[in-house]
Amino acid sequence: MSLRILSLNVWGGKLHAPLIPYLVEANADVLCLQEVVRSPETTSEWLTYRDRDVELPQRANLFDEIRAALPDHDGYFCPTSRGELHDGNRMVHAEFGLATFVRKSLPVIGQALDFVHGAFSPDGWGKHPRPRNAHCLRIFDYEAGFSITIAQMHGLRAENGKGDTPERQAQADALVQLIGRVWPGNERLIVCGDLNLLPNSDTFTVLGNLGLADLVTGRGHADTRTSYYGKPGRFADYMLATPDVEVVVFDVVAHPEVSDHRALLLDLR
């Protein structure tokens, strides 16, 4: 029996039509999702995010829609900020952040949620680099007879690119501290997400001190973006594992395209 973990930046649900069926059909036991939106103030299906020359449709209550599509999972919504989105000519508040879904047959026996950059912003999205958090869960697999710790993060976005900065160094250190609050150090550990980093980042050295190695670059994948992403630099998403993780299958999913990021899919024993 293998355990399936999926990591995906869902792009605010812009490609909603293929996204929801894919999340169901992927049949993952744990889903680590970034750029998830929730807006309890509105019953509208779509809102619009505007920032200077950027205009992006956002699925207003994407978290609730995913939760409804995955009735066999418990959902955890972890916002980093609350800002305003456009509902036609009206402005409504929306929350933005991470979402983690865990199959109900897998008990959560430990968890920690905290900020790895900045702090919760209740009154607007703020300037870049904006707040970022990470969510770490420890679950038990009854069938396999072991526990495993899984952490996800949406790495900070800097306007000057994905190179190493003091803020990214501090983010890496904060992530390691968060993991240490949950992971006992003697069991399987997975870290994943849209880390917004280059493959040679010092962050991977920091995570390597926990025994983690990246499966994306380590297995020869050179692209984690889809055709919806037109900029150079095709790395953003990573999944790292400790040596005791027996990889059955690992895929950087090219099709279907459900975001401007590709999904990362891991079956492990």
Side-chain angles (χ1 to χ4, degrees):
M1 179 66 181
S2 63
L3 185 73
R4 174 167 289 183
I5 300 171
L6 181 149
S7 178
L8 174 64
N9 180 322
V10 295
W11 206 19
K14 180 178 179 180
L15 301 182
H16 177 265
L19 172 65
I20 300 297
Y22 173 73
L23 294 179
V24 174
E25 292 162 9
N27 195 31
D29 299 293
V30 180
L31 299 92
C32 299
L33 308 178
Q34 305 90 49
E35 293 197 16
V36 179
V37 179
R38 183 176 68 175
S39 182
E41 290 185 9
T42 183
T43 57
S44 297
E45 293 185 344
W46 291 98
L47 301 172
T48 303
Y49 169 79
R50 296 191 180 113
D51 182 15
R52 291 177 289 185
D53 59 339
V54 175
E55 184 167 307
L56 185 65
Q58 302 279 279
R59 195 70 181 178
N61 282 293
L62 182 60
F63 174 75
D64 294 328
E65 291 180 311
I66 296 172
R67 183 172 56 182
L70 300 174
D72 294 331
H73 291 67
D74 289 318
Y76 304 83
F77 182 62
C78 312
T80 59
S81 52
R82 186 184 78 149
E84 291 185 332
L85 297 178
H86 295 260
D87 186 1
N89 295 323
R90 185 170 71 101
M91 302 294 287
V92 298
H93 290 107
E95 295 170 332
F96 172 90
L98 304 175
T100 309
F101 292 87
V102 182
R103 196 178 299 278
K104 292 178 180 178
S105 59
L106 300 167
V108 174
I109 59 175
Q111 66 173 311
L113 167 68
D114 212 341
F115 281 77
V116 292
H117 177 77
F120 180 70
S121 176
D123 300 312
W125 309 120
K127 296 180 180 179
H128 293 291
R130 290 172 175 168
R132 288 292 195 257
N133 59 1
H135 188 207
C136 186
L137 290 165
R138 187 175 183 226
I139 62 176
F140 193 86
D141 187 329
Y142 288 119
E143 288 195 36
F146 64 73
S147 52
I148 181 172
T149 301
I150 302 165
Q152 71 148 321
M153 179 179 78
H154 185 196
L156 68 86
R157 175 182 177 270
E159 293 185 315
N160 60 353
K162 295 179 180 177
D164 285 328
T165 62
E167 291 84 2
R168 284 196 169 102
Q169 180 66 45
Q171 175 183 254
D173 294 338
L175 176 60
V176 168
Q177 291 174 15
L178 177 69
I179 291 169
R181 288 157 53 183
V182 179
W183 181 53
N186 58 352
E187 70 180 24
R188 296 161 179 84
L189 172 64
I190 299 291
V191 175
C192 61
D194 171 10
L195 303 188
N196 268 323
L197 298 170
L198 299 175
N200 62 352
S201 171
D202 289 341
T203 292
F204 296 108
T205 301
V206 174
L207 295 176
N209 292 332
L210 301 181
L212 289 160
D214 176 44
L215 300 176
V216 174
T217 56
R219 290 174 173 253
H221 299 281
D223 195 343
T224 69
R225 308 303 296 250
T226 69
S227 65
Y228 290 92
Y229 186 80
K231 301 176 185 178
R234 307 293 297 180
F235 284 103
D237 309 270
Y238 300 90
M239 186 174 288
L240 299 91
T242 48
D244 49 356
V245 172
E246 182 183 347
V247 176
V248 179
V249 176
F250 176 72
D251 191 16
V252 178
V253 180
H255 298 286
E257 294 189 327
V258 297
S259 168
D260 62 340
H261 294 254
R262 298 186 186 187
L264 309 182
L265 199 60
L266 169 66
D267 288 347
L268 65 90
R269 278 198 289 261

